Amino acid sequence: MDVVLSKNSDKAIYTQIYEQIASQIMSGEIKPGEQLPPIRTVALNLRISVIPVKQAWEQLEREGFISTAVGRGTFANEFARHEISDKRTSTAVDLLSEKIKACREMGLSLRDVQKIVEKIWHVGE
């Protein structure tokens, strides 16, 4: 499990943690059944309060990414392929909705936004 926080991000710390862990579970980087470190350990390693880590863990649990067994720890859940696909789509919608709305408000067309996304997509290749 690897989490990198950005002080320059407009996202809350717990959101950054949540998104990175959820992404690692969906991609298989964190394997189903793999134990996650305790909240206090994560907070200590990230040099932050336990509160945002706890908030991220709670959101991950609410959305079915992790399960906590009292006295045993927190574990990544296993997903069927269709569940992973649904979660990826849902996460992408959450990430892009606000940004696309801002593009529309700037007067960009759907085709303009598609071209921008394609350009950005190919930069990472």
Side-chain angles (χ1 to χ4, degrees), residues 57-84:
W57 257 232
E58 288 171 350
Q59 186 172 354
L60 287 163
E61 191 155 23
R62 264 193 316 273
E63 296 189 16
F65 286 103
I66 63 174
S67 294
T68 301
V70 178
R72 291 189 50 230
T74 303
F75 301 87
N77 287 335
E78 185 168 359
F79 292 101
R81 286 184 203 252
H82 74 277
E83 290 175 307
I84 290 174

